[in-house]
Amino acid sequence: MSQGATTQKPALIAYPKQAAFGRVLPKNKIYEHSGANTRLKELFVEQVEQIVWQYKLAPETINLPARPGVPEIQIFSIQLKSTELHEDVLRCIDGAVQFPIMFELHQGQGDQAKTQVVAAYKRPSEADASRWVLSSYFTSDWMPAATARTAMPLALDMAHLYSVLLQGLMPLPARPQEALSDWIARIEQAASKRREIEKTQARLAKEKQFNRKVEINATLRQLKSELEQLSRRPPISEAQRP
């Protein structure tokens, strides 16, 4: 589920009391709205204890204007039965709710209780505005449930707030003037490149022929260079210097 955490900021937010919603979300309602199959229902039963619609961040609750694609942001709290949650469960919930969602996963009880924040970048499809497109899921590290929460960040509108909330989960920093969609695409390209590198390293370890090892090594160097380019912040130009 995770893209890897290297630059994360604190992700546990103290959401405003006036945005509290606090309604238990029945699993069967999610099944109805998402068309969940038997396998998905079994995952819900095995891995999910309870889903609570914890907060509703909207113009009427936090006094920020809506923006296209981000009319509201929902905060869902999920108490887990098991030590893991399959990504398909989150995709199912995201598919049933037509707003961006930030998930807080809770595991264990008492002093052993832990919390993790998970979210995908969710936007309306350009081809069909009634459908939503999801990126990969990004995660915080697991934290003690008693970890102090930080104040909700200041934002100009709902879209800006969504961007800032997601930023706390991102494994790569944004580049100057980089649009959120471009930032997400670059992170996903970097993740894909890492997978290519792992496969290429596995091929190299198995290869016996010297000539083929040389070719695979060259490919590996190229992939690592491309990953470095995707991961690096561009140098600050003279025009951007203070």
Side-chain angles (χ1 to χ4, degrees):
M1 188 186 294
S2 173
Q3 293 279 351
T6 57
T7 63
Q8 292 174 348
K9 300 178 180 180
L12 278 180
I13 304 296
Y15 295 105
K17 290 181 181 178
Q18 67 268 24
F21 200 57
R23 292 188 187 174
V24 174
L25 198 60
K27 296 175 189 176
N28 63 342
K29 292 292 183 186
I30 295 171
Y31 303 158
E32 287 173 18
H33 288 278
S34 65
N37 58 25
T38 301
R39 172 184 163 273
L40 261 175
K41 291 177 183 177
E42 288 173 352
L43 284 174
F44 271 89
V45 171
E46 292 167 6
Q47 300 182 347
V48 175
E49 182 70 45
Q50 188 181 65
I51 305 166
V52 178
W53 194 329
Q54 202 75 58
Y55 293 94
K56 173 178 173 150
L57 308 182
E60 65 270 22
T61 62
I62 59 172
N63 200 30
L64 286 180
R67 287 290 179 263
V70 193
E72 299 179 5
I73 304 167
Q74 313 305 337
I75 312 300
F76 279 20
S77 174
I78 303 179
Q79 182 66 45
L80 301 182
K81 285 183 181 177
S82 62
T83 56
E84 64 175 352
L85 182 65
H86 199 287
E87 186 177 296
D88 286 351
V89 171
L90 294 179
R91 289 195 174 272
C92 181
I93 299 171
D94 258 318
V97 178
Q98 298 301 295
F99 295 106
I101 304 174
M102 304 292 295
F103 294 97
E104 292 189 0
L105 310 185
H106 304 283
Q107 185 185 109
Q109 301 292 333
D111 293 341
Q112 304 301 313
K114 298 186 293 183
T115 300
Q116 182 185 53
V117 182
V118 183
Y121 173 46
K122 189 173 180 180
R123 61 176 177 80
S125 166
E126 294 176 2
D128 181 356
S130 67
R131 296 176 64 84
W132 291 73
V133 177
L134 288 174
S135 73
S136 303
Y137 280 90
F138 305 101
T139 73
S140 72
D141 296 327
W142 282 101
M143 299 164 274
T147 299
R149 290 176 176 260
T150 58
M152 193 172 76
L154 297 174
L156 301 172
D157 53 44
M158 296 301 298
H160 183 208
L161 177 61
Y162 186 40
S163 177
V164 176
L165 292 176
L166 285 173
Q167 186 174 347
L169 306 177
M170 294 306 178
L172 296 176
R175 291 171 173 172
Q177 309 304 315
E178 187 173 34
L180 179 58
S181 57
D182 294 336
W183 183 18
I184 300 288
R186 180 166 59 87
I187 289 171
E188 292 189 321
Q189 288 169 13
S192 175
K193 203 66 66 178
R194 287 190 197 95
R195 289 192 292 270
E196 284 187 67
I197 287 171
E198 288 173 4
K199 289 178 183 177
T200 305
Q201 287 172 329
R203 281 173 50 213
L204 181 62
K206 293 178 182 177
E207 185 57 57
K208 304 299 183 187
Q209 289 188 9
F210 177 76
N211 289 346
R212 287 290 298 136
K213 277 184 175 287
V214 170
E215 291 174 11
I216 296 171
N217 257 319
T219 300
L220 193 56
R221 284 195 300 273
Q222 178 63 30
L223 289 170
K224 287 181 176 179
S225 174
E226 291 169 0
L227 177 59
E228 172 70 17
Q229 292 295 323
L230 288 166
S231 303
R232 187 191 307 155
R233 270 186 190 270
I236 297 175
S237 67
E238 289 300 322
Q240 293 173 314
R241 294 184 187 280

